[in-house]
Structures are given as C-alpha cells and as structure tokens.
Amino acid sequence: MSGSSELFAIAAHLHVQLRRKTGRVIDTEWLATNAEYARAIVRFTRERAAAEGHADLLPWADKLEAAIVAMGAAPRKTLLDVAAEALRAAPGPAPSGEQPHKYVGGLR
Amino acid sequence: MPEDISGPALAALDSLSGADTAWVMVSTALVLLMTLPGIGLFYGGMVRRFNALNTMASVMAIAALVSVLWFAIAYSLAFTPGGELGGFIGGLSRAGFAGLGYFGPDGQVAVSHLAPRLPESVFALFQLSFAVITCALVVGALVERMKFGALLGFAGLWLLLVYAPIAHWVWEPGGWLAQLGALDFAGGAVVHINAGAAALVCAYALGPRQGYGREPFLPFNLGLTMAGTGLLWVGWFGFNGGSALAADGRAGLAMVVTHIAAAAGALAWMLAEYAARRRATLLGLCSGVVAGLVAITPAAGFVGPRAALLIGVAAGFACYWGATGLKRLLRADDSLDVFGVHGVGGLVGALLTGALADPAISGQQGSLLTQLIACVAVLGYSLVMTTVVLFIVSRFAGLRVGADAERQGLDAALHNERLGG
C-alpha cells in the first residue's frame, strides 16, 4: 500500500470510529494532506481515549502519528499560534486565581 | 477465667464478656469501613481522573488478598508465641485457617492470650482489619504508575515479610519490642511508621510519574477525599477505641482523645497552611484530621485529653512540613504523601507517647528512649525489607506500567473501565 493510500485508509477508519465513539466528525481529505491537522487529531484521539476509556482508538492514533512522518511536512505555525505560544510562555496569574504552581510537584 | 494463658487456647463460653465481644465486633466493622470505602475514596479523590478507578480497585483487591492470606498464615505469624524465635516472629499453630473454633455443645471457644474475654475469631478479624488498612495505605505512594499484578504480589509478600513480623514484635507479649516496654496502643509504629517507610521505598523504586514536577496533576474530586476523611475519622473510633479490646473506661477515653487530636490536627494544619500560603484548603483540613488521628494512635490508651490536644497540634504542624518541605527535600514522588502524613505523624505520636503517657491511666510509664528504639527499629526494618520485597516482585513481574499505559491512564489501560461521567 502506498503512503498516500495508507493515510487515506487510516483517515477513513478514524472518521468512522471518532464519529461513532465521540460524535466528532473529521475531514478525511484534509487529514491525509495536512500534518498540522493530523497532529491535532492524534492529540484529540488520545485525549478522548484516556478520558472515556476507548482503548481501541489508541492504535489508530499511533498509526496516524507514524504516517504523519511520511507526509514530510514540517509543521507550519500560524501567526495566531505564535502569539498564543508567546502568551502562554509569559508569566502571569493563573486564570482561576489558584497559585501558579498549584498541584505541580505535590498536592498539598 | 483463662486470664493467665500464654498462647491461644480453648476457654469456657461463660468466661467471655458479651459487652467486650460486641464492642470489638463493632470496632472491626468500623476499621474495615476506614479502608472500604474510606481509603478508596480518600485516595481516589486525589489522583487524576483517569486513574481514580485503578486506585479504588487497588484498595479493594488488596483488602481481599490480605484477608485470605491473614487467615492462611499471617495471623499466626503475628499473634502466636514463636518458640525460640518468639521475639521476632510467631509460630504456625494458627496457620491454615486453624484454631478459630467454636464448640457450642461442649461449651468451649478458642480465645487468644491477648484478649481472653473475646472469641479468638473476633480478635483475629479485628487484627485483620488493621493488616488490611496498613497494606492499603501504601497504595498512596505508588498510584498512577504501578502494574496491578505487581501491586498484588507486593502487597501479599509485604504482609508476610514486613507487617506480620513487626506486629509480632510490638503487640505479641513475647515480641522483643513488647518485652522492651515499647508503647503502641493501636499501631503508631506497626501501622503508620511502617506504611510510611514502605511508601517512601516504593516511591523511590518506581520513580516519578511522567510529567511530575512539571505539569499540574489535578485531583479528580476532593469531595470524595472529604467523604473518605469522614469515614476515617469516624472509623478511627473503632481503630483506637477497639484496641482497648474491652468495652470499658479506657476505650471511652481512647475515643475522646482520638476526637480531640483529630480536631487539633485539622486546626494546626490549617494555621500552618494559612501562614505559608494565605489559604485554608479542604485538602489541608482533611490532611490535618488524618495527621492528628495518626499521631494519637500509639498514645490513645495512655494519655488524657490535654496531652491529646498537644499531640494533635504537633502532628498538624509536623505533617504539614512532612507533606511540603520534607517532601521537596526527599525528592521522591510519594504521590499522595503517605510518608509525609503517616510516617511523620506516626513518629511524632510514638515519641510523644513516651513523653506524655500517664501511668494513672494504664499503669504503664512511657520512656522516650524506648519509643525511639521502637521507631528506629520499625522504620529501619520496613525500609530494608520493603526494598527486598520490591526486588523480588520486580524479578517476576516488573513494577511499572509502560509509558503509553501511563499516558493513557490506568483505568482504561489496565481495567478497560471508567469511573463514569
């Protein structure tokens, strides 16, 4: 199976599984051609698998992640992403009013 | 009356005390409630959402495993005289579920030499509930990353090689620490110092969780932790009050000092936390309650209310430091602060028992030196033998789940279940 058809096969399978298990509808064509979108779907799939106990989704997230390398596309950051990362890196109060290091390295 | 027996024996049914028997039966149920569901809720609320079920399952499975092993062999090793090695380990006369007999037509019943006015079945079950909670306490140090099978292997071996010998040293009259005069009314050393030391070794052996110290590990539901704390607080009346092994004035006093120390521990922790961080947290209050309860455990049958207040306050401050400053010094991912609360609280309580024990209550004089020897012996033995037990288990099973399973969460990866919601 060529890299492209394998990607489409993974995308199609994930499309069905994610819609059935999580209600999320993904764009299979965009997934098979855009590495940034594919990475986001890998993250989403793993998060939902952990949060909702869908262990069978994890192998597909792994397959997609492996296939992204074959796409050869370096992740491109939008201006919005760059600005968001800069903001996250900047020191500032935690949004909930909790101490900034709450629950890091200890509960108490 | 078989008051002077030196080992388990048969006694006439009419030599038993109905009131004592009933109280210890109730206390047994209270102590089991501390674990099932007390510790399950207390710990389950503090771990991350995707590991809460695994934490509860660990507590439940340990309770079942320890229960079977207790009657199979551990009870005999802990609470029977041991011949030439009697200072260090008990014999096998009660191994294989033997000796808990009740012979109605003959008017006889088995009794333990430690509690000749109760059926031995009740005494053995009461002591079982202590073994269960001690093993379950260690879970707090190894949550979110240990293999389930390895955990059970560890708990079984630890019960036999660590808990049973230490219980024998301290509580069986022939045990070497009992002979030395060490005071441990309900398990400050046997339960709390022991579990705290084991927890520390487990934390070092397993290593930190992925992202520890870099990412916030949000507790699943501190409401569950509060519910667990409530069960622990109420259950501790059985833990300490029941350890009098009689429905008498000493049991009543033990309950009062238990309650005072719990309340004082909560207030002291709250003050310490407020002084350091300008916040009084629910988890801090819960932790302070447990700190006070832990510290009064060895002292409960030996001290009065004022001493209990002092012990509770000292434990609240000391355990706050144990779970924060000391934790940073030790650099171990003791995930739910078992050593910081139970280890430190147990040490504080055991030592203060030596200083504050009132001979007018029990007829026994405390000795700081004897208590220190007992603390060092239990701490040292538990540290070394827990290392040995972990080494044995690691040869057979490996201790830690894979990186993917840890990232995914143990609820899904190990149990294929979720807690709900």
Side-chain angles (χ1 to χ4, degrees):
Chain A
M1 193 186 280
S2 74
S4 164
S5 359
E6 188 185 2
L7 257 171
F8 270 105
I10 295 168
H13 193 88
L14 269 174
H15 177 82
V16 174
Q17 292 294 319
L18 288 175
R19 190 180 60 184
R20 186 177 296 159
K21 293 178 189 297
T22 70
R24 168 81 179 257
V25 176
I26 60 171
D27 184 336
T28 48
E29 279 198 33
W30 189 233
L31 181 67
T33 53
N34 184 286
E36 198 60 40
Y37 182 64
R39 283 190 188 90
I41 295 303
V42 168
R43 274 197 304 275
F44 172 80
T45 305
R46 284 180 175 151
E47 281 168 12
R48 304 303 288 196
E52 299 176 7
H54 300 308
D56 51 342
L57 286 176
L58 289 172
W60 290 100
D62 294 341
K63 282 181 188 176
L64 179 57
E65 187 171 52
I68 291 170
V69 179
M71 292 163 77
R76 293 185 60 190
K77 292 179 181 173
T78 64
L79 192 58
L80 194 61
D81 288 336
V82 173
E85 280 174 14
L87 276 174
R88 276 198 291 270
S96 64
E98 290 172 352
Q99 293 166 12
H101 300 299
K102 186 81 173 171
Y103 302 130
V104 177
L107 280 165
R108 294 170 166 101
Chain B
M1 296 280 285
E3 298 283 355
D4 57 350
I5 56 176
S6 59
L10 286 177
L13 277 172
D14 58 10
S15 69
L16 301 183
S17 160
D20 293 355
T21 303
W23 169 233
V24 177
M25 289 167 79
V26 170
S27 294
T28 303
L30 285 169
V31 182
L32 273 177
L33 272 175
M34 290 169 66
T35 307
L36 303 171
I39 293 291
L41 294 173
F42 186 71
Y43 283 170
M46 282 192 274
V47 296
R48 286 170 290 177
R49 186 177 192 275
F50 43 84
N51 291 311
L53 182 144
N54 167 259
T55 304
M56 294 178 181
S58 300
V59 171
M60 184 73 85
I62 283 175
L65 178 70
V66 169
S67 296
V68 173
L69 288 176
W70 184 252
F71 288 110
I73 186 165
Y75 168 66
S76 190
L77 294 176
F79 287 105
T80 63
E84 287 182 8
L85 290 174
F88 300 96
I89 194 75
L92 296 175
S93 63
R94 289 299 193 242
F97 302 81
L100 307 178
Y102 176 84
F103 308 100
D106 295 337
Q108 289 196 307
V109 62
V111 297
S112 165
H113 54 304
L114 280 86
R117 290 163 65 82
L118 319 172
E120 190 178 7
S121 56
V122 173
F123 174 73
L125 194 63
F126 181 62
Q127 294 300 340
L128 157 71
S129 64
F130 283 64
V132 165
I133 197 168
T134 309
C135 294
L137 284 174
V138 183
V139 169
L142 41 80
V143 290
E144 303 197 301
R145 60 204 189 282
M146 190 167 187
K147 288 180 179 174
F148 197 63
L151 171 70
L152 293 183
F154 167 76
L157 277 177
W158 192 83
L159 171 75
L160 300 177
L161 298 180
V162 185
Y163 181 82
I166 289 178
H168 183 82
W169 296 358
V170 177
W171 283 332
E172 210 283 328
W176 74 273
L177 286 174
Q179 294 274 321
L180 203 63
L183 303 180
D184 190 359
F185 190 68
V190 177
V191 175
H192 298 290
I193 296 175
N194 189 8
L200 196 57
V201 174
C202 288
Y204 281 125
L206 282 165
R209 292 162 289 175
Q210 287 181 31
Y212 176 72
R214 298 191 304 276
E215 301 166 11
F217 288 173
L218 299 178
F220 166 49
N221 186 338
L222 291 180
L224 296 183
T225 301
M226 191 273 174
T229 306
L231 283 163
L232 286 168
W233 192 338
V234 173
W236 228 289
F237 289 144
F239 200 91
N240 288 355
S243 290
L245 299 172
D248 60 9
R250 196 178 184 200
L253 183 60
M255 288 178 70
V256 171
V257 298
T258 298
H259 198 67
I260 290 170
L267 294 174
W269 188 300
M270 186 181 73
L271 284 174
E273 195 170 39
Y274 190 81
R277 297 175 182 163
R278 296 288 158 202
R279 293 281 194 284
T281 64
L282 174 64
L283 183 57
L285 284 163
C286 292
S287 308
V289 165
V290 175
L293 290 166
V294 166
I296 197 64
T297 296
F302 302 112
V303 301
R306 289 190 194 92
L309 187 72
L310 182 64
I311 289 171
V313 168
F317 287 125
C319 293
Y320 177 74
W321 171 73
T324 54
L326 179 63
K327 183 186 177 91
R328 283 190 290 275
L329 283 175
L330 292 172
R331 304 175 79 85
D333 182 9
D334 174 5
S335 310
L336 309 183
D337 300 323
V338 183
F339 183 76
V341 176
H342 294 272
V344 171
L347 287 165
V348 167
L351 293 174
L352 286 179
T353 301
L356 300 171
D358 181 354
I361 294 172
S362 65
Q364 289 174 278
Q365 180 75 51
S367 156
L368 205 52
L369 179 63
T370 305
Q371 295 300 105
L372 184 63
I373 292 169
C375 289
V376 170
V378 170
L379 191 71
Y381 181 82
S382 185
L383 287 171
V384 172
M385 285 307 293
T386 301
T387 307
V388 171
V389 169
L390 283 169
F391 177 77
I392 294 170
V393 174
S394 70
R395 295 298 94 189
F396 287 96
L399 299 176
R400 189 161 174 153
V401 298
D404 286 346
E406 190 179 338
R407 198 162 39 239
Q408 183 189 359
L410 304 195
D411 295 359
L414 299 189
H415 305 283
N416 196 25
E417 275 184 306
R418 60 177 176 168
L419 205 55

